[in-house]
Amino acid sequence: MYSEKRTELRMDPCGTLKDSGEAERTKDLIEDQTCFLKPNRDLRPKHTNVVFLKTHKTASSTMQNMLFRFAERHNLTVAIPKADFQFSYPNRFQASSVHPYTLPPNIITNHMRFNKKELKKLMPPDSVYITTMRETSAMFESLFVYCYVSSQSIRRVPNRSLEVFLENPFKYYHPTENDSMYARNCLTFDLGGDKDSTDIDYARELAAEVEKTFSLVMISDYFDESLILLRHLLNWDFEDIVYFKANMRSEKAKKRITPELSAKIRAWNSIDAYLFDHFNASLWRKLNAIGLKCVAREIQLLQQAQQNLAKICFGEEAPRLKSASKIKNTNLKPWQPGDVEVVGYELVSNLTLDTRRLCTKLTMPELQYTSAIQEAQSKRYLRKQS
Protein backbone atom coordinates (compact mmCIF):
# COMPACT_ATOMS: atom_id res chain seq x y z
CA MET A 1 0.00 0.00 0.00
CA TYR A 2 2.49 2.65 1.15
CA SER A 3 5.33 2.87 -1.34
CA GLU A 4 8.02 5.38 -2.06
CA LYS A 5 9.37 6.11 -5.53
CA ARG A 6 12.43 3.95 -4.96
CA THR A 7 10.33 0.78 -4.89
CA GLU A 8 7.84 -0.72 -7.33
CA LEU A 9 6.14 -2.74 -4.60
CA ARG A 10 2.38 -2.12 -4.58
CA MET A 11 -0.61 -3.50 -2.76
CA ASP A 12 -3.35 -4.78 -5.02
CA PRO A 13 -7.01 -4.28 -3.98
CA CYS A 14 -7.01 -7.67 -2.24
CA GLY A 15 -4.19 -6.65 0.08
CA THR A 16 -1.54 -8.74 -1.68
CA LEU A 17 1.89 -7.19 -2.28
CA LYS A 18 2.86 -7.35 -5.95
CA ASP A 19 4.95 -5.49 -8.50
CA SER A 20 3.22 -2.32 -9.75
CA GLY A 21 2.18 -3.72 -13.15
CA GLU A 22 0.53 -6.82 -11.71
CA ALA A 23 -1.14 -4.73 -9.00
CA GLU A 24 -2.70 -2.45 -11.65
CA ARG A 25 -4.05 -5.43 -13.60
CA THR A 26 -5.56 -6.91 -10.44
CA LYS A 27 -7.08 -3.53 -9.59
CA ASP A 28 -8.91 -3.40 -12.91
CA LEU A 29 -10.37 -6.86 -12.32
CA ILE A 30 -11.51 -5.94 -8.82
CA GLU A 31 -13.05 -2.62 -9.86
CA ASP A 32 -15.28 -4.49 -12.29
CA GLN A 33 -16.95 -6.09 -9.22
CA THR A 34 -17.64 -2.78 -7.47
CA CYS A 35 -20.31 -0.10 -7.51
CA PHE A 36 -18.42 2.32 -9.76
CA LEU A 37 -19.56 2.96 -13.30
CA LYS A 38 -16.18 2.31 -14.92
CA PRO A 39 -16.32 4.98 -17.70
CA ASN A 40 -17.14 7.66 -15.12
CA ARG A 41 -14.42 6.43 -12.78
CA ASP A 42 -11.74 6.43 -15.47
CA LEU A 43 -12.57 10.00 -16.47
CA ARG A 44 -12.19 11.37 -12.93
CA PRO A 45 -8.80 11.79 -11.25
CA LYS A 46 -8.44 11.03 -7.57
CA HIS A 47 -9.42 14.00 -5.44
CA THR A 48 -6.41 15.03 -3.35
CA ASN A 49 -7.43 18.23 -1.51
CA VAL A 50 -9.16 17.25 1.72
CA VAL A 51 -10.14 18.99 4.96
CA PHE A 52 -10.76 16.35 7.61
CA LEU A 53 -12.18 17.70 10.87
CA LYS A 54 -10.69 15.31 13.42
CA THR A 55 -13.36 15.09 16.12
CA HIS A 56 -12.70 13.42 19.48
CA LYS A 57 -13.26 9.69 20.07
CA THR A 58 -14.93 9.00 16.72
CA ALA A 59 -12.33 6.72 15.01
CA SER A 60 -10.71 9.93 13.77
CA SER A 61 -7.16 8.70 14.50
CA THR A 62 -7.78 5.76 12.16
CA MET A 63 -8.93 8.21 9.48
CA GLN A 64 -5.94 10.46 10.11
CA ASN A 65 -3.55 7.54 9.58
CA MET A 66 -5.30 6.78 6.30
CA LEU A 67 -4.94 10.38 5.13
CA PHE A 68 -1.28 10.56 6.15
CA ARG A 69 -0.54 7.44 4.11
CA PHE A 70 -2.50 8.75 1.14
CA ALA A 71 -0.54 12.01 1.26
CA GLU A 72 2.82 10.23 1.37
CA ARG A 73 1.88 7.86 -1.43
CA HIS A 74 0.85 10.75 -3.71
CA ASN A 75 3.56 13.22 -2.66
CA LEU A 76 1.03 15.66 -1.18
CA THR A 77 1.56 18.28 1.53
CA VAL A 78 -0.14 17.89 4.90
CA ALA A 79 -0.68 20.94 7.13
CA ILE A 80 1.00 20.27 10.49
CA PRO A 81 0.59 22.37 13.66
CA LYS A 82 3.37 24.81 14.54
CA ALA A 83 3.36 23.64 18.14
CA ASP A 84 2.22 20.44 19.79
CA PHE A 85 0.03 18.06 17.76
CA GLN A 86 -3.14 20.17 17.61
CA PHE A 87 -3.99 23.47 15.94
CA SER A 88 -4.19 25.68 19.07
CA TYR A 89 -7.10 23.61 20.41
CA PRO A 90 -9.41 24.50 22.14
CA ASN A 91 -9.16 27.90 20.45
CA ARG A 92 -10.76 28.20 17.04
CA PHE A 93 -8.51 27.25 14.16
CA GLN A 94 -6.30 30.00 12.75
CA ALA A 95 -4.33 29.62 9.52
CA SER A 96 -1.36 31.17 11.33
CA SER A 97 -1.13 28.04 13.54
CA VAL A 98 0.15 25.94 10.60
CA HIS A 99 3.88 25.19 10.45
CA PRO A 100 5.35 27.33 7.63
CA TYR A 101 7.31 24.39 6.21
CA THR A 102 4.01 22.56 5.54
CA LEU A 103 2.52 25.20 3.23
CA PRO A 104 0.61 25.28 0.95
CA PRO A 105 -1.25 22.13 2.03
CA ASN A 106 -3.41 19.61 0.18
CA ILE A 107 -4.65 17.90 3.35
CA ILE A 108 -5.33 19.00 6.92
CA THR A 109 -6.27 16.43 9.55
CA ASN A 110 -4.92 17.18 13.07
CA HIS A 111 -7.29 18.17 15.88
CA MET A 112 -8.75 21.65 15.69
CA ARG A 113 -11.86 23.59 16.57
CA PHE A 114 -13.56 24.20 13.24
CA ASN A 115 -13.27 27.67 11.70
CA LYS A 116 -14.55 27.67 8.15
CA LYS A 117 -13.38 31.18 7.30
CA GLU A 118 -9.75 30.49 8.28
CA LEU A 119 -9.71 27.09 6.56
CA LYS A 120 -10.93 28.65 3.32
CA LYS A 121 -8.00 31.09 3.51
CA LEU A 122 -5.59 28.17 3.85
CA MET A 123 -6.91 25.31 1.73
CA PRO A 124 -7.39 25.00 -2.07
CA PRO A 125 -10.83 26.15 -3.26
CA ASP A 126 -11.82 22.65 -4.42
CA SER A 127 -11.12 21.04 -1.02
CA VAL A 128 -13.63 18.43 0.08
CA TYR A 129 -14.72 18.71 3.73
CA ILE A 130 -15.17 15.48 5.71
CA THR A 131 -15.67 14.61 9.37
CA THR A 132 -16.71 11.71 11.61
CA MET A 133 -19.38 11.26 14.27
CA ARG A 134 -20.17 8.44 16.70
CA GLU A 135 -23.19 7.25 18.66
CA THR A 136 -23.47 9.74 21.51
CA SER A 137 -23.39 7.49 24.59
CA ALA A 138 -20.44 5.45 23.27
CA MET A 139 -18.53 8.61 22.37
CA PHE A 140 -19.16 10.25 25.75
CA GLU A 141 -18.15 7.13 27.66
CA SER A 142 -14.89 7.09 25.73
CA LEU A 143 -14.30 10.80 26.35
CA PHE A 144 -15.07 10.43 30.04
CA VAL A 145 -12.48 7.67 30.47
CA TYR A 146 -9.83 8.87 28.04
CA CYS A 147 -9.89 12.59 28.85
CA TYR A 148 -9.94 12.53 32.64
CA VAL A 149 -6.32 13.77 32.67
CA SER A 150 -7.31 16.68 30.41
CA SER A 151 -10.60 17.80 31.97
CA GLN A 152 -11.08 19.29 35.43
CA SER A 153 -14.81 18.60 35.16
CA ILE A 154 -14.10 14.87 34.94
CA ARG A 155 -11.29 14.82 37.50
CA ARG A 156 -13.63 16.24 40.15
CA VAL A 157 -15.91 13.19 39.96
CA PRO A 158 -15.33 10.62 42.73
CA ASN A 159 -13.83 7.40 41.34
CA ARG A 160 -14.32 8.79 37.82
CA SER A 161 -17.87 7.49 38.05
CA LEU A 162 -19.97 8.30 35.00
CA GLU A 163 -23.11 7.44 36.98
CA VAL A 164 -22.20 9.90 39.75
CA PHE A 165 -21.43 12.66 37.25
CA LEU A 166 -24.76 12.27 35.45
CA GLU A 167 -26.73 12.36 38.71
CA ASN A 168 -25.75 16.01 39.12
CA PRO A 169 -23.50 17.20 36.27
CA PHE A 170 -23.30 20.86 37.31
CA LYS A 171 -21.77 19.85 40.62
CA TYR A 172 -18.63 18.91 38.63
CA TYR A 173 -19.00 20.62 35.26
CA HIS A 174 -17.77 24.23 35.08
CA PRO A 175 -18.68 25.48 31.58
CA THR A 176 -16.19 28.37 31.47
CA GLU A 177 -13.12 26.23 32.10
CA ASN A 178 -10.79 25.88 29.14
CA ASP A 179 -11.06 22.07 29.16
CA SER A 180 -14.80 21.74 29.87
CA MET A 181 -15.68 20.68 26.28
CA TYR A 182 -14.62 17.10 27.02
CA ALA A 183 -17.46 16.82 29.54
CA ARG A 184 -20.35 18.14 27.42
CA ASN A 185 -21.24 18.20 23.71
CA CYS A 186 -17.61 17.80 22.61
CA LEU A 187 -18.64 17.02 19.03
CA THR A 188 -20.63 20.26 18.86
CA PHE A 189 -17.65 22.16 20.26
CA ASP A 190 -15.23 20.62 17.71
CA LEU A 191 -17.60 21.72 14.94
CA GLY A 192 -17.33 25.29 16.21
CA GLY A 193 -20.71 25.25 17.94
CA ASP A 194 -22.07 26.19 21.37
CA LYS A 195 -21.56 23.19 23.69
CA ASP A 196 -23.90 24.60 26.33
CA SER A 197 -26.96 25.19 24.17
CA THR A 198 -30.03 23.05 24.83
CA ASP A 199 -32.17 24.69 22.14
CA ILE A 200 -33.58 22.27 19.54
CA ASP A 201 -33.75 25.08 16.99
CA TYR A 202 -30.04 25.70 17.49
CA ALA A 203 -29.36 22.00 16.94
CA ARG A 204 -31.31 22.10 13.66
CA GLU A 205 -29.42 25.21 12.49
CA LEU A 206 -26.06 23.66 13.32
CA ALA A 207 -26.98 20.43 11.49
CA ALA A 208 -28.00 22.46 8.44
CA GLU A 209 -24.68 24.36 8.50
CA VAL A 210 -22.68 21.12 8.80
CA GLU A 211 -24.70 19.61 5.95
CA LYS A 212 -23.90 22.62 3.77
CA THR A 213 -20.16 22.58 4.54
CA PHE A 214 -19.25 18.88 4.72
CA SER A 215 -19.58 16.67 1.66
CA LEU A 216 -19.48 13.58 3.87
CA VAL A 217 -20.13 13.01 7.55
CA MET A 218 -18.84 9.53 8.33
CA ILE A 219 -20.32 7.47 11.16
CA SER A 220 -17.72 5.48 13.06
CA ASP A 221 -20.32 2.90 14.15
CA TYR A 222 -20.58 2.08 10.41
CA PHE A 223 -16.99 2.79 9.54
CA ASP A 224 -16.59 0.44 6.58
CA GLU A 225 -19.85 1.64 5.05
CA SER A 226 -18.65 5.22 5.50
CA LEU A 227 -15.36 4.37 3.78
CA ILE A 228 -17.20 3.11 0.71
CA LEU A 229 -18.96 6.47 0.49
CA LEU A 230 -15.60 8.21 0.95
CA ARG A 231 -14.06 6.11 -1.81
CA HIS A 232 -16.85 7.04 -4.21
CA LEU A 233 -16.76 10.71 -3.26
CA LEU A 234 -13.00 11.06 -3.80
CA ASN A 235 -12.63 8.43 -6.57
CA TRP A 236 -10.08 6.52 -4.50
CA ASP A 237 -8.92 2.91 -4.81
CA PHE A 238 -9.21 0.18 -2.19
CA GLU A 239 -5.52 0.57 -1.34
CA ASP A 240 -6.35 4.14 -0.27
CA ILE A 241 -8.91 3.09 2.34
CA VAL A 242 -7.44 -0.01 4.00
CA TYR A 243 -6.75 0.49 7.69
CA PHE A 244 -5.98 -1.02 11.06
CA LYS A 245 -7.81 0.55 14.00
CA ALA A 246 -5.84 3.19 15.90
CA ASN A 247 -5.88 4.68 19.41
CA MET A 248 -8.03 1.99 21.03
CA ARG A 249 -8.47 1.37 24.75
CA SER A 250 -8.09 -2.07 26.24
CA GLU A 251 -11.33 -3.81 27.20
CA LYS A 252 -10.62 -3.29 30.91
CA ALA A 253 -10.52 0.50 30.33
CA LYS A 254 -14.11 0.57 29.03
CA LYS A 255 -17.24 1.20 31.10
CA ARG A 256 -20.52 -0.65 30.53
CA ILE A 257 -23.37 1.56 29.31
CA THR A 258 -26.87 0.55 30.37
CA PRO A 259 -29.96 1.80 28.50
CA GLU A 260 -30.75 4.09 31.46
CA LEU A 261 -27.24 5.54 31.46
CA SER A 262 -27.36 5.98 27.69
CA ALA A 263 -30.55 8.02 27.98
CA LYS A 264 -28.92 10.28 30.59
CA ILE A 265 -25.85 10.75 28.39
CA ARG A 266 -28.00 11.72 25.42
CA ALA A 267 -29.99 14.19 27.52
CA TRP A 268 -26.81 15.82 28.87
CA ASN A 269 -25.26 15.92 25.37
CA SER A 270 -28.48 16.81 23.56
CA ILE A 271 -26.89 18.76 20.68
CA ASP A 272 -24.40 15.97 19.99
CA ALA A 273 -27.26 13.46 20.10
CA TYR A 274 -29.29 15.47 17.60
CA LEU A 275 -26.31 15.73 15.24
CA PHE A 276 -25.60 12.01 15.43
CA ASP A 277 -29.21 11.05 14.74
CA HIS A 278 -29.42 13.49 11.83
CA PHE A 279 -26.20 12.41 10.12
CA ASN A 280 -26.66 8.71 10.81
CA ALA A 281 -29.93 8.93 8.88
CA SER A 282 -28.15 10.92 6.16
CA LEU A 283 -25.44 8.26 5.85
CA TRP A 284 -28.00 5.51 5.27
CA ARG A 285 -29.81 7.57 2.64
CA LYS A 286 -26.51 7.87 0.75
CA LEU A 287 -25.78 4.15 1.12
CA ASN A 288 -29.24 3.25 -0.16
CA ALA A 289 -28.68 5.52 -3.15
CA ILE A 290 -25.61 3.45 -4.15
CA GLY A 291 -27.37 0.18 -3.35
CA LEU A 292 -26.85 -1.84 -0.19
CA LYS A 293 -25.93 -5.05 -2.03
CA CYS A 294 -23.27 -3.19 -3.93
CA VAL A 295 -21.95 -1.58 -0.73
CA ALA A 296 -21.82 -4.98 0.99
CA ARG A 297 -19.80 -6.37 -1.92
CA GLU A 298 -17.26 -3.54 -1.62
CA ILE A 299 -17.04 -3.97 2.14
CA GLN A 300 -16.27 -7.67 1.60
CA LEU A 301 -13.43 -6.71 -0.76
CA LEU A 302 -12.11 -4.16 1.73
CA GLN A 303 -12.19 -6.60 4.63
CA GLN A 304 -10.49 -9.29 2.58
CA ALA A 305 -7.72 -6.84 1.72
CA GLN A 306 -7.28 -6.02 5.40
CA GLN A 307 -7.18 -9.67 6.42
CA ASN A 308 -4.48 -10.31 3.82
CA LEU A 309 -2.48 -7.34 5.06
CA ALA A 310 -2.85 -8.51 8.66
CA LYS A 311 -1.39 -11.90 7.69
CA ILE A 312 1.60 -10.10 6.18
CA CYS A 313 2.16 -7.61 9.02
CA PHE A 314 1.20 -9.73 12.05
CA GLY A 315 1.25 -13.32 10.82
CA GLU A 316 -2.49 -13.73 11.45
CA GLU A 317 -5.78 -12.38 10.06
CA ALA A 318 -6.87 -10.82 13.37
CA PRO A 319 -3.91 -9.05 14.99
CA ARG A 320 -3.55 -9.41 18.74
CA LEU A 321 -3.46 -5.98 20.34
CA LYS A 322 -0.73 -5.33 22.90
CA SER A 323 -0.33 -2.91 25.78
CA ALA A 324 2.25 -0.18 25.18
CA SER A 325 4.60 -1.70 27.77
CA LYS A 326 4.88 -4.87 25.67
CA ILE A 327 5.56 -3.10 22.35
CA LYS A 328 9.31 -3.01 21.68
CA ASN A 329 9.28 -0.63 18.70
CA THR A 330 8.98 2.91 20.10
CA ASN A 331 7.59 4.12 16.76
CA LEU A 332 4.54 1.93 17.38
CA LYS A 333 3.91 2.68 21.08
CA PRO A 334 0.63 4.61 21.52
CA TRP A 335 0.40 7.53 23.93
CA GLN A 336 -1.08 6.57 27.31
CA PRO A 337 -3.46 9.14 28.89
CA GLY A 338 -2.62 8.71 32.57
CA ASP A 339 -3.39 5.18 33.72
CA VAL A 340 -5.83 4.47 30.86
CA GLU A 341 -4.43 1.63 28.78
CA VAL A 342 -4.34 2.33 25.04
CA VAL A 343 -3.26 -0.67 22.99
CA GLY A 344 -1.23 -0.98 19.80
CA TYR A 345 0.48 -3.40 17.46
CA GLU A 346 3.71 -5.37 17.16
CA LEU A 347 4.89 -6.48 13.73
CA VAL A 348 6.38 -9.86 12.89
CA SER A 349 10.16 -9.84 12.59
CA ASN A 350 10.69 -11.55 9.22
CA LEU A 351 9.55 -8.69 6.93
CA THR A 352 11.40 -7.25 3.95
CA LEU A 353 12.42 -3.60 4.16
CA ASP A 354 9.60 -2.41 1.88
CA THR A 355 6.98 -4.53 3.63
CA ARG A 356 8.15 -3.37 7.06
CA ARG A 357 7.85 0.23 5.90
CA LEU A 358 4.29 -0.38 4.71
CA CYS A 359 3.22 -2.21 7.89
CA THR A 360 4.88 0.38 10.13
CA LYS A 361 2.96 3.23 8.53
CA LEU A 362 -0.30 1.27 8.77
CA THR A 363 0.17 0.89 12.54
CA MET A 364 2.03 4.08 13.51
CA PRO A 365 0.23 6.10 16.22
CA GLU A 366 -0.81 9.70 15.72
CA LEU A 367 2.00 11.48 17.58
CA GLN A 368 4.84 9.58 15.93
CA TYR A 369 3.27 9.87 12.46
CA THR A 370 2.65 13.61 12.82
CA SER A 371 6.31 14.10 13.79
CA ALA A 372 7.49 11.93 10.88
CA ILE A 373 5.34 13.88 8.40
CA GLN A 374 6.61 17.21 9.72
CA GLU A 375 10.24 16.09 9.57
CA ALA A 376 9.89 14.78 6.00
CA GLN A 377 8.08 17.88 4.77
CA SER A 378 10.52 20.24 6.50
CA LYS A 379 13.43 18.52 4.74
CA ARG A 380 11.59 18.80 1.42
CA TYR A 381 10.87 22.49 2.03
CA LEU A 382 14.49 23.30 2.94
CA ARG A 383 15.80 21.43 -0.12
CA LYS A 384 13.59 23.59 -2.33
CA GLN A 385 14.90 26.75 -0.65
CA SER A 386 18.56 25.84 -1.10
Side-chain angles (χ1 to χ4, degrees):
M1 197 187 78
Y2 168 79
S3 61
E4 296 179 354
K5 289 184 179 179
R6 63 172 174 265
T7 178
E8 291 300 311
L9 186 67
R10 282 281 304 280
M11 188 197 80
D12 76 8
C14 289
T16 305
L17 299 182
K18 299 180 177 180
D19 69 80
S20 57
E22 188 178 358
E24 283 299 318
R25 289 189 293 275
T26 306
K27 184 179 82 172
D28 288 341
L29 289 172
I30 293 293
E31 291 296 351
D32 288 342
Q33 303 175 44
T34 67
C35 310
F36 277 118
L37 295 173
K38 201 170 188 307
N40 295 345
R41 174 174 170 74
D42 290 344
L43 289 171
R44 288 173 56 209
K46 289 184 183 183
H47 200 92
T48 55
N49 297 324
V50 177
V51 173
F52 176 64
L53 178 62
K54 189 177 189 296
T55 51
H56 285 83
K57 311 316 296 173
T58 59
S60 62
S61 293
T62 302
M63 267 301 301
Q64 182 188 54
N65 179 280
M66 195 182 301
L67 288 163
F68 279 166
R69 287 182 283 115
F70 182 84
E72 287 191 301
R73 200 161 51 251
H74 295 281
N75 199 31
L76 304 174
T77 300
V78 181
I80 298 294
K82 261 184 190 174
D84 201 9
F85 298 93
Q86 304 181 103
F87 290 106
S88 304
Y89 192 86
N91 298 317
R92 291 182 187 274
F93 174 79
Q94 297 292 319
S96 60
S97 65
V98 178
H99 195 293
Y101 292 176
T102 64
L103 297 171
N106 305 100
I107 291 172
I108 189 165
T109 177
N110 285 65
H111 276 304
M112 68 173 78
R113 189 175 186 207
F114 191 66
N115 186 338
K116 185 177 178 180
K117 183 179 178 182
E118 286 290 305
L119 282 163
K120 284 192 170 292
K121 283 165 51 177
L122 174 74
M123 298 300 293
D126 68 341
S127 294
V128 172
Y129 287 67
I130 296 160
T131 191
T132 52
M133 296 183 183
R134 182 181 179 186
E135 192 279 317
T136 308
S137 58
M139 183 182 73
F140 190 70
E141 180 275 332
S142 186
L143 280 163
F144 202 85
V145 174
Y146 193 91
C147 296
Y148 88 95
V149 294
S150 308
S151 175
Q152 298 170 78
S153 296
I154 300 173
R155 286 202 303 273
R156 289 188 188 98
V157 183
N159 301 317
R160 305 180 207 170
S161 170
L162 190 49
E163 291 83 356
V164 169
F165 175 82
L166 291 167
E167 282 299 319
N168 187 6
F170 283 107
K171 183 177 179 181
Y172 312 102
Y173 173 72
H174 296 184
T176 59
E177 288 175 345
N178 202 38
D179 53 19
S180 62
M181 63 283 174
Y182 298 122
R184 191 178 201 191
N185 285 315
C186 188
L187 174 65
T188 297
F189 184 87
D190 287 349
L191 286 161
D194 178 3
K195 64 182 172 59
D196 292 300
S197 175
T198 56
D199 185 350
I200 188 63
D201 290 332
Y202 175 75
R204 291 191 185 104
E205 289 169 9
L206 181 58
E209 181 61 31
V210 172
E211 192 111 52
K212 187 168 68 174
T213 302
F214 290 84
S215 298
L216 177 62
V217 175
M218 302 173 65
I219 300 295
S220 68
D221 311 72
Y222 304 103
F223 193 62
D224 287 354
E225 289 86 349
S226 295
L227 286 178
I228 302 308
L229 291 177
L230 177 77
R231 168 176 134 77
H232 283 244
L233 175 66
L234 301 179
N235 204 38
W236 284 8
D237 298 322
F238 278 103
E239 67 175 332
D240 300 319
I241 63 168
V242 294
Y243 68 92
F244 296 134
K245 291 180 181 179
N247 202 27
M248 292 176 294
R249 291 171 295 154
S250 65
E251 287 302 314
K252 68 181 181 182
K254 297 176 182 178
K255 295 179 182 289
R256 180 173 169 268
I257 303 295
T258 64
E260 180 186 13
L261 195 59
S262 177
K264 288 181 178 179
I265 290 172
R266 284 177 58 87
W268 174 245
N269 298 276
S270 60
I271 309 298
D272 279 7
Y274 183 93
L275 291 172
F276 172 79
D277 292 346
H278 178 93
F279 286 101
N280 185 46
S282 173
L283 178 94
W284 285 98
R285 285 194 296 272
K286 290 180 179 181
L287 291 167
N288 275 295
I290 295 176
L292 295 183
K293 285 186 179 179
C294 199
V295 171
R297 194 160 65 244
E298 292 208 8
I299 289 173
Q300 189 176 17
L301 291 168
L302 171 62
Q303 292 175 347
Q304 182 61 58
Q306 288 171 180
Q307 287 171 6
N308 290 344
L309 271 176
K311 285 181 188 175
I312 294 167
C313 297
F314 313 117
E316 52 194 343
E317 288 186 4
R320 280 173 286 187
L321 296 163
K322 294 191 173 184
S323 63
S325 62
K326 294 182 179 178
I327 298 174
K328 297 173 185 175
N329 185 343
T330 56
N331 283 328
L332 300 184
K333 282 191 177 189
W335 178 67
Q336 305 293 296
D339 60 3
V340 177
E341 186 178 60
V342 176
V343 293
Y345 301 94
E346 190 81 272
L347 306 179
V348 295
S349 57
N350 59 338
L351 297 173
T352 66
L353 183 62
D354 290 335
T355 304
R356 179 164 293 280
R357 187 183 301 119
L358 182 152
C359 294
T360 298
K361 291 300 175 73
L362 270 162
T363 54
M364 187 174 285
E366 173 183 352
L367 303 190
Q368 292 94 319
Y369 212 156
T370 297
S371 297
I373 291 270
Q374 180 179 322
E375 181 181 359
Q377 290 185 166
S378 294
K379 287 178 180 177
R380 185 174 67 185
Y381 176 88
L382 293 171
R383 278 198 305 269
K384 287 181 180 178
Q385 302 306 307
S386 61

